[in-house]
Amino acid sequence: MSTSPIPATADKVSVTDLQRIASQVRRDIVRQVHGVQSGHPGGSLGCADFFTALYFKVLRHDPAKWDMDGKDQDLFFLSNGHVSPVWYSVLARSGYFPVQELATFRKLNTRLQGHPTTHEGLPGVRMASGSLGQGMSVAIGAALAKKLNGDDHLVYSLHGDGELQEGQIWEAAMFAAAKKVDNLISTVDYNGRQIDGDVEDVLPLGDLRAKWEAFGWDVLETNGNDMAALLKTLDAARTRTGQGRPVMILMRTEMGQGVDFMMNSHEWHGIAPNDQQLASALGQLEETLGDY
Amino acid sequence: MTAYPVLDQKDTRSGFGAGLLELGRRNPNVVALCADLTGSLKMDAFKKEFPDRFFQVGIAEANMMGIAAGLTIGGKIPYTGTFANFSTGRVYDQVRQSIAYAGKNVKICASHAGLTLGEDGATHQILEDIGLMRMLPDMTVVVPADFNQTKQATMAIAEHEGPVYLRFGRPKWPVFIPADMPFTIGKAQVLVEGADVTLIACGHLVWTALKAAEELAAKGIQAEVINMHTIKPLDVETVLRSVERTRCVVTCEEHNRHGGLGDAVAQALAQHRPTPQEFVAVNDTFGESGTPDQLLRKYGLDVPDIVLAAHRAIARR
């Protein structure tokens, strides 16, 4: 068992390395949720590849220099806070806090609250999220602060597709384009599922690409569960910053990706696996870095 | 009794505008956001002098609160400006999660609070905002009394690390707080000393309470007048020191009787020194269109209402 953080040597990390990290991240997700018998495994598994790519390859960040202001660091804001297990895993595995702390997820007195927050001072988290629709506005504010500070680092945000039903998202979308917030890369976990069922059945989003383009964003699309494609798109997104438009990446993902019985359904949005289901899930996910 | 001459007639929102401009010159980290009410909030001068530090967000208050929260990350001190209704009720969840719970150093500056908004009517006359904001953990709630104090408070809250709700209003109102009177967040001001009844007021009604104290004095009743410009944290010590002598209290506020200054004082008294209290406040109803003076009279927030309440309070000692 080895649970030492992975050094931020992003340049040398290969697609294969990232896939191996993502496998461990997925183990962390199901183990966290199983350990407290609550939480949101489906969406967390679906965007595990994105989080892994972001924290181990893309973000220019130094966990050792963590502070709230994050000057001279790329920043990430999680708007759909319920996928906290995946974020906690990559934060711990990249060195923001001890990996063993993942065992405290959602338990009394933990820093790893059900939904992420700054309240308990967890390193790596700069905003509370959980009530949906608020994170893009916050990311815009942080991006504006970077511009005012002459800091050329970028701000990233992640949103659920169901979350796009919140009106504040579109207030933020309009503002970011109108005010040329071009140091912002927002991403959508486009898995087509939400709590009550398929997004298509609950409240269809229509032509999402056309909507973001109509709002004035530079839109990229990718398969969010294909590590190579994801990296290529994230690289492309970076090259498209600083050109007067905010950048949006629509990432097609599969809720529950990596655990067969959690895929192809919304059922595993917010329920925990039992002991047998955990064993089955872990049997499908290689332990590459050592469980916490 | 000490006299407070009327120095001028000015709106408290202009005190905010003046304070914001002066603060902008002193502190380069101060930025301002407005949701299409720059003129109403008197933010034009700041906008003109600091165009790079002013963000017009349009009619999108939820987005404004989120952007303000984000701007604190990187060391900015954002001041949001819109009407009190749109600063609180409309965006309560954004303020709660992205600002208060997240502990962000945002200054929520709210104009046109209370009945004295006047003719626009009840949709805009929020009478619940003090209650909404003081219920949020770690939120500081400041309700200054006049132009001079609103200017002072606008600058003082920049020095306070953490979220602040600053409430002020629309109408021209007597300016009576000397510009050099010290202002400290959380430290009430005893404007008039008296031993018969304590009048505790905030906002516009501080002036009304002073006038009521004059009428009471004419009848031989010495009222103590306390300007409770900070509702949270409440200056409990000053309240207790006063009621120890007067043994009765009247709270005066341009707010619903539920949730505001009266509740805050009642809670402190119930816990530390149970004392008869009368409430001059809006009696759990919405407002309506009218001039500020007409509305204050109709809803029982005028000088005679405070005088009558003082008599009731004294009778209950």
Side-chain angles (χ1 to χ4, degrees), chain A residues 210-228:
Chain A
K211 279 190 166 74
W212 286 100
E213 285 178 344
F215 272 78
W217 287 56
D218 190 358
V219 182
L220 300 168
E221 290 182 79
T222 192
N223 179 345
N225 293 132
D226 177 336
M227 190 61 80

Side-chain angles (χ1 to χ4, degrees), chain A:
Chain A
M1 184 163 137
S2 153
T3 55
S4 57
I6 298 145
T9 49
D11 292 349
K12 295 174 192 155
V13 178
S14 68
V15 168
T16 310
D17 293 336
L18 291 169
Q19 287 165 334
R20 289 177 59 78
I21 297 170
S23 179
Q24 185 66 50
V25 167
R26 288 191 161 93
R27 287 180 72 89
D28 290 348
I29 293 166
V30 291
R31 293 184 72 243
Q32 285 175 80
V33 174
H34 172 266
V36 67
Q37 284 298 296
S38 77
H40 298 80
S44 297
L45 290 165
C47 52
D49 302 303
F50 164 71
F51 273 89
T52 301
L54 194 68
Y55 273 81
F56 296 98
K57 186 78 176 172
V58 176
L59 279 184
R60 294 169 294 179
H61 67 132
D62 184 351
K65 289 184 185 163
W66 149 258
D67 68 9
M68 181 55 73
D69 280 346
K71 285 178 182 165
D72 302 318
Q73 308 264 320
D74 287 345
L75 305 183
F76 170 72
F77 292 94
L78 177 64
S79 191
N80 50 330
H82 56 273
V83 300
S84 54
V86 62
W87 197 18
Y88 293 153
S89 172
V90 295
L91 285 174
R93 297 280 173 187
S94 61
Y96 281 93
F97 57 83
V99 173
Q100 287 76 8
E101 201 168 339
L102 295 175
T104 70
F105 174 62
R106 282 183 172 240
K107 293 176 179 167
L108 191 64
N109 300 320
T110 185
R111 299 196 291 180
L112 279 58
Q113 291 289 299
H115 293 81
T117 174
T118 59
H119 201 256
E120 281 72 30
L122 185 68
V125 179
R126 294 187 168 88
M127 176 48 63
S129 61
S131 177
L132 294 170
Q134 300 186 27
M136 186 175 287
S137 304
V138 173
I140 289 168
L144 292 172
K146 287 215 175 289
K147 283 179 179 271
L148 287 169
N149 289 335
D151 177 350
D152 65 1
H153 284 68
L154 299 176
V155 177
Y156 291 81
S157 64
L158 175 69
H159 310 268
D161 50 359
E163 183 187 12
L164 303 184
Q165 292 157 355
E166 290 280 7
Q168 188 182 344
I169 290 283
W170 302 98
E171 294 182 5
M174 198 182 310
F175 180 96
K179 309 286 174 163
K180 300 183 168 49
V181 185
D182 58 5
N183 54 345
L184 172 67
I185 299 174
S186 290
T187 63
V188 170
D189 182 21
Y190 201 178
N191 59 25
R193 321 273 188 205
Q194 57 189 113
I195 298 180
D196 272 357
D198 290 350
V199 176
E200 275 304 304
D201 295 329
V202 176
L203 184 67
L205 299 171
D207 187 339
L208 211 44
R209 181 184 187 111
K211 279 190 166 74
W212 286 100
E213 285 178 344
F215 272 78
W217 287 56
D218 190 358
V219 182
L220 300 168
E221 290 182 79
T222 192
N223 179 345
N225 293 132
D226 177 336
M227 190 61 80
L230 197 49
L231 282 182
K232 204 172 153 193
T233 308
L234 284 163
D235 276 350
R238 180 179 289 280
T239 66
R240 286 156 87 151
T241 58
Q243 295 179 29
R245 287 195 294 172
V247 178
M248 167 56 69
I249 306 175
L250 302 175
M251 305 185 296
R252 285 281 182 184
T253 62
E254 180 61 50
M255 186 181 268
Q257 178 70 31
V259 177
D260 55 9
F261 61 89
M262 293 188 180
M263 295 165 67
N264 304 310
S265 162
H266 68 275
E267 298 293 340
W268 287 87
H269 170 89
I271 58 169
N274 62 27
D275 292 349
Q276 291 73 29
Q277 289 163 331
L278 175 70
S280 168
L282 294 179
Q284 301 171 46
L285 300 165
E286 187 187 349
E287 182 180 350
T288 53
L289 301 173
D291 288 337
Y292 61 83

